[in-house]
Amino acid sequence: MPDTHDILLLQGGARTQFAMIPLNLLTPGAVGDYALTGVWARAAYDEAVLVGKAHIAADTREADGSYRRVPRSSELVLDPAAAYLHICSNNTVYGTQWAEYPDTGDVPLIADMTSDIMSRAVDVSRFGMIYAAAQKNLGPSGVVAVIIRKDLIERSRQDIPTIWRYSIHAKNASLYYTPTTFAVAMMRHVLEHAVAIGGISAIETTNREKARRLYAALDARPEYYRLPAAVDSRSLMNVTFFLPTTDDDKRFLAESERRGMVGLKGHRTAGGIRASIYNWVSLADVDALVELITEFGR
Amino acid sequence: MPDTHDILLLQGGARTQFAMIPLNLLTPGAVGDYALTGVWARAAYDEAVLVGKAHIAADTREADGSYRRVPRSSELVLDPAAAYLHICSNNTVYGTQWAEYPDTGDVPLIADMTSDIMSRAVDVSRFGMIYAAAQKNLGPSGVVAVIIRKDLIERSRQDIPTIWRYSIHAKNASLYYTPTTFAVAMMRHVLEHAVAIGGISAIETTNREKARRLYAALDARPEYYRLPAAVDSRSLMNVTFFLPTTDDDKRFLAESERRGMVGLKGHRTAGGIRASIYNWVSLADVDALVELITEFGR
């Protein structure tokens, strides 16, 4: 961690940050820039509009309402008064992810990493702020980790309620209010475990192999499996795909449940199948799904 | 529970509500009324001032900065535009509590019951809103229970961030964001246990007996123990007292620790001794402290 940044452990989750970010950082005249790449990225934008002035830097929504990719850096159009660019690092519903983060020059880059924090190495110094609700890769729900550049804390608004000020939480080492103690304690255990198994580089190696095996199994049967995500936007955390018909999807889900796999049904707004392979899903778990994919594809 | 009210289980704690209450209920022209009876009651007022217009309906602070009692109903001066009167039901730092809640006529009464919810029977229908962070009587930290009158939800502001709207959480049965699942699950166990041991009336009987024994032991030695709280404002949850000198306080604390008692030191701003006898402190625990008080007083 660069000492230019502070880590805060706050009550709540990602949605709390959707509101706290513009509340703190949209000082008079400033604009919040948002790249829209899925339902959560859009939800963050929708909240900012209620707080201050927000601008859409890019929107990859397609005619059918879905999102298949993240934008290229060249597609981003920032507002001249941008206080930050907000992106959602991994889009759980559509199975897309930023493979490389955009270069935003002097504009602080803010990333919601709720669904991919600690899944791969990240150069923290490139970010104005990174935040992640705990419940995917870090621990139980109820706490959100915020890594924020100290100069952004200093620049933030001081006329808002104290509990929503980053500056108050930084000054009080996240103890201004009673923290979500159980979730924080569990997060500590998860982090110690992460270090014990070799740290982020080991976790990243396993995660890349998990995703490689799943995508390889699906790509091997292109006439049977349809993958909505563009290849260069494919997520390492959520692998989404469709079988030829929705009846096939249902049969696949029924068979997966018979084999003890849970949660493979796609998000209700997207349909199809979604394999969430967060940090603590093992290679063996993935292999069991690869086997099912291969059998079904025959 | 009257069906005029909704129960919400929200992320965060009491401080979250200090900000959400004025944010939701201070519609244009409305004023938030506050009875100041301690540091937490004052913190709620301080937050309201940052959100909208707030008015002090009563302030029982004494010249030395401490609070020894809650106001009488006749002392409350409400603003003609009052949207609510906010009180802190039990003041943990000073060991005072509202024995009876004030009659506020048409003005909704809002009570922070963080430190005394479920400790005694309460007529919910008399309140516009009751709220309580879980970590005293209900379960682990990270969740706050909000009991709110439905017409107040309907009347509340809709132009604020969605996550801070009571209306959104009511409409989504508190699942608009990921709840603090562990704390909510534990709260369920605590509530089931409360029912199993006879419900609130049994709990209240025990709590009153716990407080009676402690105050009786202290009152029996008035030349040795000084009780700052006015008799009619004495708390059933936090019994505060001073020994003749601060050195005596220290000796008392050392001996209490030797006997396996923890957390008896008074709040750093108040000094002295504070016995917190929340719901799950047993009569036997209290008797051990009574014994120590009696021995020391000789």
Side-chain angles (χ1 to χ4, degrees):
Chain A
M1 261 279 299
D3 68 3
T4 45
H5 288 62
D6 260 334
I7 296 188
L8 313 175
L9 294 181
L10 305 183
Q11 295 174 339
R15 282 194 188 272
T16 322
Q17 295 311 306
F18 293 173
M20 278 180 67
I21 290 164
L23 196 61
N24 277 271
L25 300 181
L26 293 187
T27 48
V31 174
D33 249 315
Y34 287 79
L36 306 192
T37 56
V39 291
W40 295 105
R42 183 169 284 272
Y45 168 75
D46 289 344
E47 208 76 322
V49 168
L50 292 164
V51 172
K53 218 174 147 197
H55 171 251
I56 297 174
D59 186 350
T60 56
R61 188 150 99 154
E62 313 229 333
D64 66 357
S66 75
Y67 297 80
R68 302 205 199 322
R69 64 185 187 87
V70 300
R72 290 173 292 279
S73 274
S74 60
E75 287 176 272
L76 293 167
V77 180
L78 299 190
D79 190 285
Y84 57 81
L85 170 67
H86 179 280
I87 64 169
C88 183
S89 178
N90 180 68
N91 301 281
T92 54
V93 175
Y94 300 100
T96 64
Q97 187 178 24
W98 294 76
E100 283 173 34
Y101 293 110
D103 181 359
T104 51
D106 287 341
V107 177
L109 179 61
I110 297 181
D112 175 0
M113 293 194 189
T114 293
S115 57
D116 65 357
I117 196 159
M118 211 169 71
S119 70
R120 59 180 180 182
V122 162
D123 179 0
V124 172
S125 70
R126 288 190 53 203
F127 291 84
M129 176 173 155
I130 291 168
Y131 66 98
Q135 62 263 30
K136 306 291 186 197
N137 283 337
L138 294 178
S141 61
V143 59
V144 53
V146 172
I147 302 169
I148 180 169
R149 231 168 59 198
K150 290 174 182 168
D151 66 303
L152 289 187
I153 296 175
E154 280 156 29
R155 234 189 279 171
S156 64
R157 281 178 58 183
Q158 299 301 313
D159 57 345
I160 56 176
T162 59
I163 57 145
W164 294 323
R165 286 184 214 161
Y166 292 125
S167 58
I168 285 275
H169 297 295
K171 200 158 62 184
N172 291 277
S174 304
L175 292 171
Y176 180 69
Y177 43 39
T178 307
T180 310
T181 46
F182 176 79
V184 172
M186 282 298 291
M187 192 190 295
R188 188 193 177 104
H189 290 300
V190 171
L191 295 175
E192 285 171 349
H193 174 69
V195 170
I197 62 170
I200 289 180
S201 69
I203 291 170
E204 177 170 355
T205 301
T206 306
N207 282 339
R208 289 195 184 276
E209 180 60 16
K210 281 152 58 184
R212 192 196 64 72
R213 290 186 194 180
L214 272 180
Y215 285 118
L218 293 162
D219 284 339
R221 285 146 195 91
E223 72 294 346
Y224 193 71
Y225 294 111
R226 182 169 63 81
L227 280 70
V231 172
D232 58 2
S233 291
R234 281 179 176 177
S235 169
L236 299 174
M237 294 281 104
N238 310 93
V239 177
T240 54
F241 56 96
F242 295 89
L243 278 68
T245 70
T246 52
D247 269 357
D248 294 328
D249 287 344
K250 279 182 198 152
R251 282 193 306 116
F252 184 96
L253 287 171
E255 178 59 19
S256 72
E257 278 175 33
R258 207 188 59 78
R259 297 187 186 194
M261 303 175 194
V262 292
L264 279 165
K265 192 174 175 177
H267 189 269
R268 63 186 161 70
T269 61
I273 315 291
R274 172 172 61 168
S276 292
I277 48 174
Y278 298 121
N279 279 6
W280 315 116
V281 171
S282 70
L283 261 176
D285 295 334
V286 165
D287 284 342
L289 179 57
V290 163
E291 194 176 304
L292 176 61
I293 287 169
T294 306
E295 284 178 30
F296 243 78
R298 268 179 207 138
Chain B
M1 259 280 297
D3 67 4
T4 46
H5 289 62
D6 259 335
I7 296 189
L8 312 175
L9 294 179
L10 304 184
Q11 295 175 340
R15 282 194 188 272
T16 322
Q17 294 312 305
F18 294 173
M20 277 180 67
I21 290 164
L23 196 60
N24 276 271
L25 300 181
L26 292 187
T27 47
V31 174
D33 249 316
Y34 287 79
L36 306 192
T37 55
V39 291
W40 295 105
R42 182 167 284 270
Y45 168 75
D46 289 344
E47 207 74 324
V49 169
L50 292 165
V51 173
K53 219 174 148 196
H55 172 250
I56 297 174
D59 185 351
T60 56
R61 189 150 99 153
E62 312 229 333
D64 66 357
S66 76
Y67 298 80
R68 303 205 202 310
R69 61 182 189 88
V70 301
R72 289 174 291 280
S73 274
S74 59
E75 288 177 271
L76 293 167
V77 181
L78 300 189
D79 191 285
Y84 56 81
L85 169 68
H86 179 280
I87 65 168
C88 183
S89 178
N90 180 68
N91 302 281
T92 54
V93 175
Y94 301 99
T96 63
Q97 187 178 27
W98 293 76
E100 281 174 33
Y101 294 110
D103 182 359
T104 51
D106 288 340
V107 177
L109 178 61
I110 297 182
D112 176 359
M113 293 195 191
T114 293
S115 58
D116 66 356
I117 196 159
M118 211 168 71
S119 69
R120 59 182 180 181
V122 162
D123 179 0
V124 173
S125 71
R126 286 191 51 203
F127 292 84
M129 176 174 154
I130 291 169
Y131 66 99
Q135 63 262 28
K136 306 290 186 200
N137 282 338
L138 293 178
S141 61
V143 59
V144 52
V146 171
I147 302 170
I148 180 169
R149 229 170 59 200
K150 290 174 183 170
D151 66 302
L152 289 187
I153 297 175
E154 279 157 27
R155 234 189 278 172
S156 64
R157 281 178 59 185
Q158 299 300 313
D159 57 345
I160 57 176
T162 57
I163 58 146
W164 294 323
R165 287 183 213 161
Y166 293 123
S167 59
I168 285 275
H169 297 295
K171 200 159 60 183
N172 290 276
S174 303
L175 292 171
Y176 179 68
Y177 44 38
T178 307
T180 309
T181 45
F182 178 79
V184 171
M186 282 299 291
M187 191 190 294
R188 187 194 176 102
H189 289 301
V190 171
L191 294 175
E192 285 171 350
H193 173 70
V195 170
I197 63 171
I200 289 180
S201 69
I203 291 170
E204 176 170 357
T205 301
T206 305
N207 282 339
R208 289 193 184 277
E209 180 59 17
K210 282 152 56 183
R212 192 197 64 73
R213 292 187 192 178
L214 271 179
Y215 285 118
L218 293 163
D219 285 339
R221 286 144 193 92
E223 71 295 346
Y224 194 70
Y225 294 111
R226 182 169 63 80
L227 280 69
V231 172
D232 59 1
S233 292
R234 282 180 175 177
S235 169
L236 300 175
M237 295 281 104
N238 310 93
V239 177
T240 54
F241 56 96
F242 294 89
L243 277 68
T245 69
T246 52
D247 270 355
D248 295 328
D249 287 343
K250 279 183 198 153
R251 283 192 307 113
F252 185 94
L253 288 171
E255 178 59 19
S256 73
E257 277 174 34
R258 207 187 59 76
R259 297 186 187 195
M261 304 175 193
V262 293
L264 278 165
K265 191 172 176 179
H267 190 268
R268 62 184 162 70
T269 61
I273 316 289
R274 172 174 60 169
S276 292
I277 48 174
Y278 299 121
N279 278 6
W280 315 114
V281 172
S282 69
L283 261 176
D285 296 333
V286 166
D287 283 343
L289 179 57
V290 164
E291 195 177 304
L292 175 61
I293 287 169
T294 305
E295 284 178 29
F296 243 78
R298 269 181 207 137

